């Protein structure tokens, strides 16, 4: 194995520690997930369903992921979550939008092209921003 191949695979292996989500940008508590499901709104797309709930304006966006056991075993579910985290990280969290977001992928998430998934996450974030700004203006 050449040194170039080693460096390239290290580059493709994933984000370094400083590129991961900060803890403040993650939705972690079960109660927070439940609140988003019960009181929030939904956005549907081809590969995922996005639930969101506006919250305290002094905090930015928090994102959580839920992958059902119906979508596969632990290996498949973890792979889906890794792809979700990377798509959200690359699309960028919106610090000026105070919202909790829960993303539920569909089975097609595993077989879809990553660029399509990334665009879908970006589009969902745009829709959320637009709907929340419309709600504020009315």
């Amino acid at each position: 194995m050449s040194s170039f191949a080693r460096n390239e695979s290290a580059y493709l292996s994933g984000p370094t520690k400083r590129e991961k989500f900060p803890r403040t940008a993650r939705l972690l508590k079960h109660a927070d997930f439940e609140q988003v499901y019960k009181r929030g709104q939904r956005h549907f797309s081809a590969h995922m369903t996005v639930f969101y709930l506006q919250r305290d304006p002094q905090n930015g966006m928090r994102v959580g992921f839920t992958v059902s056991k119906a979508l596969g075993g632990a290996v498949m579910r973890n792979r889906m979550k890794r792809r979700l985290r990377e798509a959200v990280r690359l699309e960028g969290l919106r610090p000026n939008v105070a919202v909790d977001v829960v993303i539920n992928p569909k089975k097609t998430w595993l077989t879809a092209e990553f660029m399509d998934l990334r665009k879908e996450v970006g589009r969902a974030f745009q829709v959320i921003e637009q709907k929340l700004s419309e709600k504020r203006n009315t």
Side-chain angles (χ1 to χ4, degrees):
M1 178 186 259
S2 72
S3 66
F4 175 73
R6 267 194 306 271
N7 289 340
E8 183 179 1
S9 70
Y11 173 73
L12 297 175
S13 67
T16 60
K17 189 168 185 168
R18 69 185 182 328
E19 293 172 333
K20 291 184 180 180
F21 291 124
R23 191 165 180 84
T24 58
R26 290 185 265 165
L27 202 57
L28 299 171
K29 295 179 183 176
H30 178 75
D32 292 337
F33 280 87
E34 286 297 318
Q35 195 172 32
V36 172
Y37 286 133
K38 289 179 182 174
R39 296 184 34 223
Q41 296 177 309
R42 285 181 253 175
H43 168 71
F44 298 99
S45 63
H47 302 295
M48 64 184 178
T49 302
V50 180
F51 297 84
Y52 61 96
L53 177 65
Q54 191 170 11
R55 62 188 186 90
D56 187 13
Q58 65 185 342
N59 300 321
M61 179 183 279
R62 292 191 307 177
V63 180
F65 310 106
T66 304
V67 182
S68 168
K69 286 185 180 181
L71 296 179
V75 172
M76 289 299 198
R77 293 193 315 269
N78 287 334
R79 181 167 187 241
M80 290 176 121
K81 286 187 269 188
R82 283 193 305 271
R83 294 182 87 194
L84 276 166
R85 277 192 300 270
E86 185 64 5
V88 170
R89 184 185 73 81
L90 291 172
E91 281 305 309
L93 297 169
R94 309 300 202 268
N96 57 341
V97 180
V99 66
D100 285 342
V101 178
V102 177
I103 300 175
N104 289 359
K106 297 177 182 175
K107 188 81 169 176
T108 58
W109 187 268
L110 277 173
T111 56
E113 289 291 322
F114 184 75
M115 289 307 295
D116 294 336
L117 301 176
R118 184 178 168 188
K119 287 178 187 174
E120 204 167 302
V121 167
R123 177 68 183 133
F125 286 174
Q126 287 175 345
V127 167
I128 290 169
E129 272 186 294
Q130 182 181 8
K131 286 187 178 182
L132 292 178
S133 68
E134 287 173 3
K135 191 175 178 180
R136 264 183 265 141
N137 294 336
T138 58

